[in-house]
Amino acid sequence: MRKMRDKERTVGRQKQRESRGKAEARGTSFPGTAKHASERKQVFAAALKRVNTELRRQHNLAARTAHVEAARKALALHRAANFTTHPPAGATAGDGMAPKPSERRRKIIAGAKIGRVSQATKVAQAVRDARGA
């Protein structure tokens, strides 16, 4: 359809140029359909417009269908994720859990040293206060 429209457009433009005296006649003669080329071009252009509109409509319908299917699948996956079931533990062999020893090193601090830093801060502040008086 595009080829037919383009052909009629070419013929119509050539006829216009010939009638204005801007171009020589192409070939010996055009076939009988060349008489109203611009009108025929408009018919083909309108038909092409209808075909393009229908193709666009079908493409949009297919895209919409694909989007709806993808959305339904995503919703099903989302809902299925909320109901994950874990298998029951069942009977276990062995003695069960074993205590895991701590890897932190043990800090043994003498009772006399606990609080010495905060006490040193209090003493230093008292010395500064005494200087001002």
Side-chain angles (χ1 to χ4, degrees):
M1 210 172 287
R2 283 187 181 90
K3 286 182 182 178
M4 295 168 78
R5 179 203 60 191
D6 293 344
K7 181 178 178 182
E8 294 299 331
R9 180 173 57 189
T10 304
V11 170
R13 286 179 179 169
Q14 179 65 24
K15 284 292 184 188
Q16 284 178 351
R17 288 175 63 80
E18 288 174 17
S19 66
R20 288 188 312 225
K22 286 191 162 235
E24 297 293 324
R26 274 173 47 173
T28 55
S29 67
F30 281 109
T33 60
K35 192 163 190 169
H36 302 287
S38 62
E39 293 169 8
R40 285 174 50 85
K41 191 262 310 181
Q42 289 174 358
V43 169
F44 286 124
L48 191 60
K49 194 172 183 181
R50 288 191 301 273
V51 168
N52 287 338
T53 303
E54 179 62 19
L55 287 174
R56 190 177 308 110
R57 187 190 69 78
Q58 288 178 359
H59 176 267
N60 290 343
L61 181 66
R64 189 179 308 117
T65 304
H67 283 137
V68 167
E69 289 173 5
R72 284 196 178 129
K73 183 179 176 185
L75 181 62
L77 289 172
H78 180 70
R79 286 182 175 165
N82 292 335
F83 299 108
T84 55
T85 57
H86 298 288
T92 57
D95 298 328
M97 295 179 67
K100 184 177 176 186
S102 174
E103 295 179 4
R104 291 188 305 176
R105 65 187 183 109
R106 213 174 133 120
K107 298 174 188 161
I108 300 173
I109 301 173
K113 292 191 176 184
I114 294 174
R116 70 181 170 84
V117 174
S118 58
Q119 187 62 38
T121 305
K122 289 178 191 173
V123 170
Q125 187 64 48
V127 169
R128 271 189 237 114
D129 291 344
R131 255 188 241 143

